[in-house]
Amino acid sequence: MNRTVKIIGSGALLLAAMQFFPRDHNQGKAPAGKTMAEVIQVPSNAQVILKRSCYDCHSDHTNYPWYAQLQPVRYILDGHIRRGKDELNFDRIR
């Protein structure tokens, strides 16, 4: 039992320490005239769906959920967003 308490205590201490190393928010500036919506004509109903469902991971402007303030959840979300933007970024056209 003593070993279990040490493991749980070490894990809790590690999680508490991670809270002091926050990550930057995904709030970049898109260059003018280079967004996907300005180059490709997207129907307004499809644009609404894209913004609601896709833009959080595939643009430079993420609306983070409340639990994104907790580490290590934030590290996981940031990795997911980084990979999503590498594949497709609606705010930048290559």
Side-chain angles (χ1 to χ4, degrees):
M1 177 162 164
N2 194 17
R3 183 170 188 244
T4 305
V5 171
K6 287 181 182 178
I7 291 173
I8 292 172
S10 298
L13 185 61
L14 178 64
L15 288 173
M18 289 175 76
Q19 304 309 311
F20 294 105
F21 299 100
R23 301 287 298 238
D24 292 333
H25 290 284
N26 181 31
Q27 299 295 327
K29 302 278 189 226
K34 295 290 186 180
T35 64
M36 183 97 50
E38 294 172 353
V39 174
I40 299 171
Q41 296 298 321
V42 179
S44 61
N45 57 350
Q47 185 70 21
V48 169
I49 294 169
L50 285 172
K51 283 190 179 207
R52 182 181 62 230
S53 302
C54 305
Y55 270 48
D56 282 341
C57 293
H58 295 281
S59 75
D60 291 331
H61 305 285
T62 299
N63 294 319
Y64 289 96
W66 66 269
Y67 52 85
Q69 299 303 317
L70 303 173
Q71 308 297 357
V73 174
R74 182 59 177 266
Y75 291 120
I76 295 167
L77 286 175
D78 284 343
H80 182 78
I81 291 167
R82 192 171 33 259
R83 285 189 305 274
K85 286 173 53 177
D86 286 344
E87 294 295 324
L88 172 67
N89 189 346
F90 288 111
D91 286 336
R92 299 181 192 274
I93 296 178
R94 296 181 199 185

